[in-house]
PDB file of all heavy atoms in Angstrom:
ATOM      1  N   THR A  13      28.654 -11.764 -13.665  1.00 48.00           N
ATOM      2  CA  THR A  13      27.482 -10.953 -13.342  1.00 48.00           C
ATOM      3  C   THR A  13      27.916  -9.556 -12.946  1.00 48.00           C
ATOM      4  O   THR A  13      29.027  -9.339 -12.459  1.00 48.00           O
ATOM      5  CB  THR A  13      26.676 -11.567 -12.181  1.00 48.00           C
ATOM      6  OG1 THR A  13      27.525 -11.664 -11.037  1.00 48.00           O
ATOM      7  CG2 THR A  13      26.171 -12.940 -12.560  1.00 48.00           C
ATOM      8  N   ASP A  14      27.067  -8.616 -13.170  1.00 60.00           N
ATOM      9  CA  ASP A  14      27.306  -7.222 -12.816  1.00 60.00           C
ATOM     10  C   ASP A  14      26.942  -7.044 -11.348  1.00 60.00           C
ATOM     11  O   ASP A  14      25.772  -7.167 -10.970  1.00 60.00           O
ATOM     12  CB  ASP A  14      26.454  -6.338 -13.719  1.00 60.00           C
ATOM     13  CG  ASP A  14      26.712  -4.865 -13.510  1.00 60.00           C
ATOM     14  OD1 ASP A  14      26.832  -4.464 -12.353  1.00 60.00           O
ATOM     15  OD2 ASP A  14      26.777  -4.136 -14.517  1.00 60.00           O
ATOM     16  N   ARG A  20      21.247  -3.936  -6.902  1.00 91.00           N
ATOM     17  CA  ARG A  20      19.936  -3.319  -7.131  1.00 91.00           C
ATOM     18  C   ARG A  20      18.825  -4.361  -7.057  1.00 91.00           C
ATOM     19  O   ARG A  20      17.752  -4.093  -6.514  1.00 91.00           O
ATOM     20  CB  ARG A  20      19.932  -2.599  -8.477  1.00 91.00           C
ATOM     21  CG  ARG A  20      20.798  -1.332  -8.480  1.00 91.00           C
ATOM     22  CD  ARG A  20      20.581  -0.504  -9.730  1.00 91.00           C
ATOM     23  NE  ARG A  20      21.097  -1.174 -10.919  1.00 91.00           N
ATOM     24  CZ  ARG A  20      22.343  -1.075 -11.350  1.00 91.00           C
ATOM     25  NH1 ARG A  20      23.228  -0.345 -10.695  1.00 91.00           N
ATOM     26  NH2 ARG A  20      22.725  -1.691 -12.463  1.00 91.00           N
ATOM     27  N   ALA A  25      14.301  -6.760  -4.036  1.00 96.00           N
ATOM     28  CA  ALA A  25      13.722  -7.926  -3.361  1.00 96.00           C
ATOM     29  C   ALA A  25      13.484  -7.636  -1.882  1.00 96.00           C
ATOM     30  O   ALA A  25      12.459  -8.044  -1.309  1.00 96.00           O
ATOM     31  CB  ALA A  25      14.642  -9.135  -3.526  1.00 96.00           C
ATOM     32  N   LEU A  37      -0.056  -5.224   8.494  1.00 94.00           N
ATOM     33  CA  LEU A  37      -0.092  -4.407   9.701  1.00 94.00           C
ATOM     34  C   LEU A  37      -0.841  -3.104   9.465  1.00 94.00           C
ATOM     35  O   LEU A  37      -1.529  -2.596  10.352  1.00 94.00           O
ATOM     36  CB  LEU A  37       1.333  -4.083  10.167  1.00 94.00           C
ATOM     37  CG  LEU A  37       2.045  -5.106  11.033  1.00 94.00           C
ATOM     38  CD1 LEU A  37       2.290  -6.405  10.273  1.00 94.00           C
ATOM     39  CD2 LEU A  37       3.376  -4.555  11.529  1.00 94.00           C
ATOM     40  N   ALA A  71      -7.863  11.340   5.354  1.00 98.00           N
ATOM     41  CA  ALA A  71      -7.786  12.403   6.360  1.00 98.00           C
ATOM     42  C   ALA A  71      -6.440  13.117   6.391  1.00 98.00           C
ATOM     43  O   ALA A  71      -6.405  14.342   6.617  1.00 98.00           O
ATOM     44  CB  ALA A  71      -8.121  11.847   7.744  1.00 98.00           C
ATOM     45  N   GLU A  79     -11.964  15.184  -6.490  1.00 98.00           N
ATOM     46  CA  GLU A  79     -10.970  15.106  -7.562  1.00 98.00           C
ATOM     47  C   GLU A  79      -9.574  14.833  -7.006  1.00 98.00           C
ATOM     48  O   GLU A  79      -8.845  13.978  -7.527  1.00 98.00           O
ATOM     49  CB  GLU A  79     -10.973  16.404  -8.371  1.00 98.00           C
ATOM     50  CG  GLU A  79     -10.047  16.367  -9.578  1.00 98.00           C
ATOM     51  CD  GLU A  79     -10.162  17.615 -10.444  1.00 98.00           C
ATOM     52  OE1 GLU A  79     -11.090  18.420 -10.215  1.00 98.00           O
ATOM     53  OE2 GLU A  79      -9.326  17.771 -11.348  1.00 98.00           O
ATOM     54  N   PHE A  85      -5.768   8.297  -4.749  1.00 96.00           N
ATOM     55  CA  PHE A  85      -6.078   6.880  -4.571  1.00 96.00           C
ATOM     56  C   PHE A  85      -5.893   6.095  -5.873  1.00 96.00           C
ATOM     57  O   PHE A  85      -5.664   4.897  -5.846  1.00 96.00           O
ATOM     58  CB  PHE A  85      -7.502   6.709  -4.070  1.00 96.00           C
ATOM     59  CG  PHE A  85      -7.701   7.009  -2.604  1.00 96.00           C
ATOM     60  CD1 PHE A  85      -6.870   7.894  -1.927  1.00 96.00           C
ATOM     61  CD2 PHE A  85      -8.724   6.416  -1.900  1.00 96.00           C
ATOM     62  CE1 PHE A  85      -7.059   8.162  -0.582  1.00 96.00           C
ATOM     63  CE2 PHE A  85      -8.920   6.672  -0.551  1.00 96.00           C
ATOM     64  CZ  PHE A  85      -8.086   7.550   0.107  1.00 96.00           C
ATOM     65  N   PRO A  90     -13.941   7.675 -10.244  1.00 98.00           N
ATOM     66  CA  PRO A  90     -14.348   8.986  -9.718  1.00 98.00           C
ATOM     67  C   PRO A  90     -15.752   8.971  -9.126  1.00 98.00           C
ATOM     68  O   PRO A  90     -16.001   9.647  -8.116  1.00 98.00           O
ATOM     69  CB  PRO A  90     -14.260   9.890 -10.946  1.00 98.00           C
ATOM     70  CG  PRO A  90     -13.249   9.235 -11.836  1.00 98.00           C
ATOM     71  CD  PRO A  90     -13.454   7.768 -11.638  1.00 98.00           C
ATOM     72  N   ALA A 123      -5.981  -5.608  20.726  1.00 95.00           N
ATOM     73  CA  ALA A 123      -6.834  -6.787  20.589  1.00 95.00           C
ATOM     74  C   ALA A 123      -6.105  -7.924  19.883  1.00 95.00           C
ATOM     75  O   ALA A 123      -6.283  -9.104  20.230  1.00 95.00           O
ATOM     76  CB  ALA A 123      -8.099  -6.414  19.818  1.00 95.00           C
ATOM     77  N   ARG A 143      12.700   5.069  11.344  1.00 98.00           N
ATOM     78  CA  ARG A 143      13.888   5.527  10.615  1.00 98.00           C
ATOM     79  C   ARG A 143      13.688   5.379   9.109  1.00 98.00           C
ATOM     80  O   ARG A 143      14.063   6.252   8.329  1.00 98.00           O
ATOM     81  CB  ARG A 143      15.113   4.725  11.066  1.00 98.00           C
ATOM     82  CG  ARG A 143      15.692   5.174  12.400  1.00 98.00           C
ATOM     83  CD  ARG A 143      16.828   4.278  12.829  1.00 98.00           C
ATOM     84  NE  ARG A 143      17.904   4.227  11.828  1.00 98.00           N
ATOM     85  CZ  ARG A 143      18.868   3.310  11.830  1.00 98.00           C
ATOM     86  NH1 ARG A 143      18.880   2.363  12.765  1.00 98.00           N
ATOM     87  NH2 ARG A 143      19.808   3.338  10.904  1.00 98.00           N
ATOM     88  N   VAL A 144      13.090   4.262   8.705  1.00 98.00           N
ATOM     89  CA  VAL A 144      12.823   4.052   7.278  1.00 98.00           C
ATOM     90  C   VAL A 144      11.815   5.080   6.788  1.00 98.00           C
ATOM     91  O   VAL A 144      11.999   5.699   5.725  1.00 98.00           O
ATOM     92  CB  VAL A 144      12.311   2.623   7.025  1.00 98.00           C
ATOM     93  CG1 VAL A 144      12.010   2.419   5.541  1.00 98.00           C
ATOM     94  CG2 VAL A 144      13.331   1.592   7.496  1.00 98.00           C
ATOM     95  N   ALA A 151       6.879  10.699  -2.513  1.00 90.00           N
ATOM     96  CA  ALA A 151       6.763  10.488  -3.961  1.00 90.00           C
ATOM     97  C   ALA A 151       5.429  10.985  -4.497  1.00 90.00           C
ATOM     98  O   ALA A 151       5.208  10.976  -5.705  1.00 90.00           O
ATOM     99  CB  ALA A 151       6.928   9.003  -4.288  1.00 90.00           C
ATOM    100  N   ALA A 157       1.623  13.554   2.904  1.00 98.00           N
ATOM    101  CA  ALA A 157       0.669  13.927   3.951  1.00 98.00           C
ATOM    102  C   ALA A 157       0.856  13.094   5.205  1.00 98.00           C
ATOM    103  O   ALA A 157       0.802  13.615   6.329  1.00 98.00           O
ATOM    104  CB  ALA A 157      -0.754  13.793   3.429  1.00 98.00           C
ATOM    105  N   ALA A 159       3.642  11.538   6.110  1.00 97.00           N
ATOM    106  CA  ALA A 159       4.950  11.848   6.686  1.00 97.00           C
ATOM    107  C   ALA A 159       4.918  13.134   7.502  1.00 97.00           C
ATOM    108  O   ALA A 159       5.734  13.309   8.415  1.00 97.00           O
ATOM    109  CB  ALA A 159       5.995  11.955   5.582  1.00 97.00           C
ATOM    110  N   TRP A 172       2.422   1.550  13.451  1.00 97.00           N
ATOM    111  CA  TRP A 172       1.426   1.599  12.381  1.00 97.00           C
ATOM    112  C   TRP A 172       1.642   2.835  11.498  1.00 97.00           C
ATOM    113  O   TRP A 172       1.562   2.736  10.273  1.00 97.00           O
ATOM    114  CB  TRP A 172       0.007   1.623  12.952  1.00 97.00           C
ATOM    115  CG  TRP A 172      -1.038   1.537  11.882  1.00 97.00           C
ATOM    116  CD1 TRP A 172      -1.549   0.409  11.318  1.00 97.00           C
ATOM    117  CD2 TRP A 172      -1.685   2.641  11.215  1.00 97.00           C
ATOM    118  NE1 TRP A 172      -2.475   0.726  10.348  1.00 97.00           N
ATOM    119  CE2 TRP A 172      -2.580   2.083  10.261  1.00 97.00           C
ATOM    120  CE3 TRP A 172      -1.606   4.026  11.331  1.00 97.00           C
ATOM    121  CZ2 TRP A 172      -3.375   2.886   9.438  1.00 97.00           C
ATOM    122  CZ3 TRP A 172      -2.392   4.819  10.510  1.00 97.00           C
ATOM    123  CH2 TRP A 172      -3.270   4.245   9.578  1.00 97.00           C
ATOM    124  N   ARG A 191       2.091   5.197 -14.594  1.00 97.00           N
ATOM    125  CA  ARG A 191       2.054   6.282 -15.577  1.00 97.00           C
ATOM    126  C   ARG A 191       3.159   6.104 -16.616  1.00 97.00           C
ATOM    127  O   ARG A 191       2.947   6.342 -17.810  1.00 97.00           O
ATOM    128  CB  ARG A 191       2.168   7.634 -14.871  1.00 97.00           C
ATOM    129  CG  ARG A 191       0.912   8.055 -14.105  1.00 97.00           C
ATOM    130  CD  ARG A 191       0.953   9.518 -13.721  1.00 97.00           C
ATOM    131  NE  ARG A 191       1.980   9.789 -12.740  1.00 97.00           N
ATOM    132  CZ  ARG A 191       1.771   9.776 -11.411  1.00 97.00           C
ATOM    133  NH1 ARG A 191       0.567   9.480 -10.936  1.00 97.00           N
ATOM    134  NH2 ARG A 191       2.757  10.057 -10.579  1.00 97.00           N
ATOM    135  N   GLU A 226     -14.671  -3.001 -19.817  1.00 97.00           N
ATOM    136  CA  GLU A 226     -14.542  -3.546 -21.170  1.00 97.00           C
ATOM    137  C   GLU A 226     -13.852  -2.567 -22.109  1.00 97.00           C
ATOM    138  O   GLU A 226     -13.067  -2.971 -22.985  1.00 97.00           O
ATOM    139  CB  GLU A 226     -15.917  -3.934 -21.717  1.00 97.00           C
ATOM    140  CG  GLU A 226     -16.505  -5.172 -21.062  1.00 97.00           C
ATOM    141  CD  GLU A 226     -15.580  -6.373 -21.182  1.00 97.00           C
ATOM    142  OE1 GLU A 226     -14.998  -6.575 -22.271  1.00 97.00           O
ATOM    143  OE2 GLU A 226     -15.446  -7.121 -20.196  1.00 97.00           O
ATOM    144  N   LEU A 232      -6.340  -2.051 -24.117  1.00 98.00           N
ATOM    145  CA  LEU A 232      -5.162  -2.882 -23.886  1.00 98.00           C
ATOM    146  C   LEU A 232      -4.978  -3.902 -25.010  1.00 98.00           C
ATOM    147  O   LEU A 232      -3.843  -4.178 -25.422  1.00 98.00           O
ATOM    148  CB  LEU A 232      -5.286  -3.609 -22.539  1.00 98.00           C
ATOM    149  CG  LEU A 232      -5.291  -2.722 -21.297  1.00 98.00           C
ATOM    150  CD1 LEU A 232      -5.483  -3.569 -20.053  1.00 98.00           C
ATOM    151  CD2 LEU A 232      -4.000  -1.913 -21.188  1.00 98.00           C
ATOM    152  N   ALA A 244      -3.472 -11.777 -20.201  1.00 98.00           N
ATOM    153  CA  ALA A 244      -2.292 -11.032 -20.620  1.00 98.00           C
ATOM    154  C   ALA A 244      -1.515 -11.790 -21.685  1.00 98.00           C
ATOM    155  O   ALA A 244      -1.338 -13.009 -21.607  1.00 98.00           O
ATOM    156  CB  ALA A 244      -1.391 -10.765 -19.422  1.00 98.00           C
ATOM    157  N   LEU A 262      11.717   2.128  -6.772  1.00 97.00           N
ATOM    158  CA  LEU A 262      11.382   3.374  -6.097  1.00 97.00           C
ATOM    159  C   LEU A 262      11.160   3.161  -4.601  1.00 97.00           C
ATOM    160  O   LEU A 262      11.440   4.058  -3.795  1.00 97.00           O
ATOM    161  CB  LEU A 262      10.138   3.990  -6.739  1.00 97.00           C
ATOM    162  CG  LEU A 262      10.314   4.478  -8.178  1.00 97.00           C
ATOM    163  CD1 LEU A 262       8.966   4.834  -8.797  1.00 97.00           C
ATOM    164  CD2 LEU A 262      11.262   5.669  -8.233  1.00 97.00           C
ATOM    165  N   SER A 271      21.000  -1.033   7.957  1.00 97.00           N
ATOM    166  CA  SER A 271      21.950  -2.049   7.531  1.00 97.00           C
ATOM    167  C   SER A 271      21.197  -3.343   7.255  1.00 97.00           C
ATOM    168  O   SER A 271      20.026  -3.502   7.641  1.00 97.00           O
ATOM    169  CB  SER A 271      22.999  -2.287   8.613  1.00 97.00           C
ATOM    170  OG  SER A 271      22.401  -2.902   9.754  1.00 97.00           O
ATOM    171  N   GLU A 274      20.110  -4.732  10.532  1.00 97.00           N
ATOM    172  CA  GLU A 274      18.977  -4.004  11.126  1.00 97.00           C
ATOM    173  C   GLU A 274      17.683  -4.344  10.413  1.00 97.00           C
ATOM    174  O   GLU A 274      16.635  -4.505  11.059  1.00 97.00           O
ATOM    175  CB  GLU A 274      19.238  -2.500  11.063  1.00 97.00           C
ATOM    176  CG  GLU A 274      20.285  -2.014  12.046  1.00 97.00           C
ATOM    177  CD  GLU A 274      20.625  -0.554  11.854  1.00 97.00           C
ATOM    178  OE1 GLU A 274      20.635  -0.078  10.684  1.00 97.00           O
ATOM    179  OE2 GLU A 274      20.883   0.134  12.867  1.00 97.00           O
ATOM    180  N   ALA A 288      -0.263 -12.277  13.692  1.00 94.00           N
ATOM    181  CA  ALA A 288      -1.524 -11.894  14.335  1.00 94.00           C
ATOM    182  C   ALA A 288      -2.501 -11.305  13.331  1.00 94.00           C
ATOM    183  O   ALA A 288      -3.702 -11.610  13.356  1.00 94.00           O
ATOM    184  CB  ALA A 288      -1.262 -10.905  15.459  1.00 94.00           C
ATOM    185  N   ALA A 289      -1.995 -10.454  12.433  1.00 94.00           N
ATOM    186  CA  ALA A 289      -2.880  -9.837  11.432  1.00 94.00           C
ATOM    187  C   ALA A 289      -3.431 -10.873  10.476  1.00 94.00           C
ATOM    188  O   ALA A 289      -4.644 -10.906  10.201  1.00 94.00           O
ATOM    189  CB  ALA A 289      -2.128  -8.750  10.670  1.00 94.00           C
ATOM    190  N   GLY A 293      -8.076 -13.431  10.639  1.00 95.00           N
ATOM    191  CA  GLY A 293      -9.193 -13.695   9.732  1.00 95.00           C
ATOM    192  C   GLY A 293      -9.891 -12.447   9.243  1.00 95.00           C
ATOM    193  O   GLY A 293     -10.875 -12.542   8.502  1.00 95.00           O
ATOM    194  N   PRO A 296      -8.986 -10.021   3.757  1.00 91.00           N
ATOM    195  CA  PRO A 296      -9.455 -10.892   2.684  1.00 91.00           C
ATOM    196  C   PRO A 296      -8.323 -11.773   2.159  1.00 91.00           C
ATOM    197  O   PRO A 296      -7.170 -11.323   2.061  1.00 91.00           O
ATOM    198  CB  PRO A 296      -9.950  -9.913   1.618  1.00 91.00           C
ATOM    199  CG  PRO A 296      -9.194  -8.650   1.886  1.00 91.00           C
ATOM    200  CD  PRO A 296      -8.989  -8.603   3.366  1.00 91.00           C
ATOM    201  N   GLY A 297      -8.640 -13.010   1.829  1.00 86.00           N
ATOM    202  CA  GLY A 297      -7.631 -13.920   1.324  1.00 86.00           C
ATOM    203  C   GLY A 297      -7.133 -13.554  -0.048  1.00 86.00           C
ATOM    204  O   GLY A 297      -5.978 -13.816  -0.397  1.00 86.00           O
ATOM    205  N   LYS A 305       0.719 -13.188  -5.079  1.00 65.00           N
ATOM    206  CA  LYS A 305       0.535 -13.541  -6.497  1.00 65.00           C
ATOM    207  C   LYS A 305       1.627 -12.939  -7.374  1.00 65.00           C
ATOM    208  O   LYS A 305       1.999 -13.498  -8.396  1.00 65.00           O
ATOM    209  CB  LYS A 305      -0.829 -13.060  -7.001  1.00 65.00           C
ATOM    210  CG  LYS A 305      -2.012 -13.692  -6.267  1.00 65.00           C
ATOM    211  CD  LYS A 305      -2.232 -15.120  -6.710  1.00 65.00           C
ATOM    212  CE  LYS A 305      -3.533 -15.667  -6.118  1.00 65.00           C
ATOM    213  NZ  LYS A 305      -3.788 -17.062  -6.550  1.00 65.00           N
TER     214      LYS A 305
END
Side-chain angles (χ1 to χ4, degrees):
T13 59
D14 185 318
R20 289 190 291 273
L37 275 65
E79 185 175 350
F85 283 27
R143 282 176 57 195
V144 179
W172 186 86
R191 287 194 293 268
E226 288 304 318
L232 295 177
L262 293 170
S271 68
E274 287 174 325
K305 298 285 188 179

